[in-house]
Amino acid sequence: MAKTATALMAQDEAGLAARAAWLHFVGGLTQGEVAERLGLSATRAHRAIAKAQAMGLVHVWVDPRATGCVELENRLIARFGLSTCRVAAELPEPGPLPLRALGAIGGDWLGSVLDRGRHEVIGISHGRTLAAAVEAMRPREESRSAFVSLLGGLTRSLAANPYDVIHRLAQKSGAEAYLMPAPLFTDTAADKAMLLSQSLLRDVLERMRAASLAIVGVGELESSQGIAALMGEDAASIDALRAAGARAEILGQFLNAEGAVMATPFDGRAMALPLDELRGREVVAIAGGASKASAIQAALKSGILTGLIIDEATARGLVGAPHDADVVAAE
């Protein structure tokens, strides 16, 4: 079937945008020189370059090791016995969480993991920070790794839909992806056992156990966001957990300030692997922000994490390093 005039026009515009961007960003031509080379007005050349950026044809990469964050990475590795650490340099952020910085460095790290292809199965949690990392990752045509959700995620609220993370990851990586079609918490332990008697869910659980890399978020209990938003009616239990000493949540399970896994009313109800089953494999957390500082510290003390991707300000707080601006002010 012949292409319509509208489709041909759109294809021509996309091609023009790509050529303009190539000349500008790779060829080093000014926008005025691009306009002259392509026979365009200056305004149209500017719009073509902007269109290429909006279409995702332009990817800017800055080597993080050109920043002063490498020392922080080394200190975190030494203090907490990590094998992997990436610290994202600070960026202006529109909200309280450093999603832009964590998304950029998390997406770059995740892309490098896929490029190396060392993991046949990668387990992934969910949350806003992981979603930002997946969104920032450069698309791949095909991946040698498969992804599996590390916990259930059916929620009453579409705004907190965890499946967005793994669905988008499958789209951007070309990888196979497997969901856990179950709630984060069942009503009872018996309900969990009943669900896991189904072959579909048993198959997903076995894939979780086959994951040699687990990518997780770290939940905090100090606000109404994060784990509280996903717990629905059980959110009232957050106050009791906090009073009992809970400071962090990973895969629907709770840690105290010293990193010990706590006994809670949710034991046996989380549709996820027990945290102790993560030990002995690579477990990398992507987390940051002032509100999560105590939760991240608890997660690091647990000994479960082998890697951490974190923002600069939170990293400095964890190792007691002054901010550069504080040093300048002191001088």
Side-chain angles (χ1 to χ4, degrees):
M1 183 181 294
K3 291 186 178 179
T4 65
T6 301
L8 288 171
M9 185 179 298
Q11 185 178 38
D12 289 345
E13 286 295 318
L16 178 63
R19 292 178 64 196
W22 178 263
L23 291 171
H24 180 58
F25 291 105
V26 181
L29 275 62
T30 65
Q31 292 191 11
E33 290 170 333
V34 171
E36 184 177 352
R37 176 73 65 88
L38 298 179
L40 306 173
S41 67
T43 299
R44 192 176 178 199
H46 173 76
R47 288 176 179 170
I49 293 169
K51 182 178 180 68
Q53 291 175 295
M55 291 171 63
L57 301 179
V58 178
H59 300 274
V60 179
W61 182 79
V62 179
D63 186 348
R65 300 204 170 267
T67 73
C69 294
V70 177
E71 181 184 356
L72 285 173
E73 294 172 0
N74 291 336
R75 291 178 67 175
L76 285 166
I77 287 171
R79 177 168 298 189
F80 297 104
L82 303 174
S83 59
T84 299
C85 185
R86 299 284 293 275
V87 174
E90 288 183 274
L91 289 172
E93 299 282 354
L97 288 180
L99 294 180
R100 291 179 60 193
L102 288 174
I105 201 164
D108 178 66
W109 171 79
L110 182 54
S112 69
V113 168
L114 293 180
D115 291 341
R116 289 196 298 271
R118 292 194 299 108
H119 300 281
E120 185 175 341
V121 181
I122 298 173
I124 190 160
S125 180
H126 50 58
R128 289 174 292 171
T129 306
L130 270 68
V134 171
E135 197 59 39
M137 186 184 76
R138 179 174 57 82
R140 268 78 179 161
E141 291 186 1
E142 185 177 0
S143 171
R144 286 175 285 177
S145 302
F147 290 94
V148 62
S149 292
L150 284 174
L151 69 170
L154 293 179
T155 65
R156 296 179 178 88
S157 171
L158 288 177
N161 183 5
Y163 290 157
D164 288 345
V165 173
I166 197 164
H167 175 67
R168 186 65 174 136
L169 186 54
Q171 286 183 320
K172 298 194 75 172
S173 67
E176 292 184 345
Y178 300 88
L179 305 173
M180 170 57 82
L184 173 55
F185 296 107
T186 57
D187 288 340
T188 66
D191 288 339
K192 176 179 177 178
M194 183 274 293
L195 287 174
L196 290 178
S197 71
Q198 306 299 309
S199 59
L200 173 62
L201 274 69
R202 284 203 311 271
D203 178 67
V204 176
L205 183 63
E206 289 309 307
R207 292 183 187 276
M208 288 183 191
R209 291 194 167 112
S212 54
L213 168 64
I215 305 171
V216 301
V218 178
E220 47 88 13
L221 289 83
E222 300 302 319
S223 72
S224 60
Q225 303 299 315
I227 185 64
L230 293 175
M231 289 173 69
E233 295 175 1
D234 285 328
S237 302
I238 288 291
D239 289 339
L241 288 171
R242 190 186 301 116
R247 292 293 177 269
E249 172 269 331
I250 298 177
L251 300 185
Q253 294 151 81
F254 298 88
L255 307 174
N256 65 19
E258 297 306 313
V261 180
M262 298 176 57
T264 76
F266 300 99
D267 290 349
R269 295 170 49 196
M271 292 297 289
L273 289 179
L275 290 183
D276 283 341
E277 287 195 30
L278 295 181
R279 299 183 190 276
R281 68 185 84 191
E282 288 188 52
V283 183
V284 178
I286 304 179
S291 66
K292 290 194 176 186
S294 62
I296 294 169
Q297 187 168 51
L300 288 167
K301 287 182 177 180
S302 73
I304 294 170
L305 302 184
T306 64
L308 177 66
I309 296 172
I310 190 171
D311 64 291
E312 182 179 357
T314 310
R316 289 186 181 280
L318 288 173
V319 300
H323 190 284
D324 291 342
D326 297 332
V327 174
V328 172
E331 292 176 350

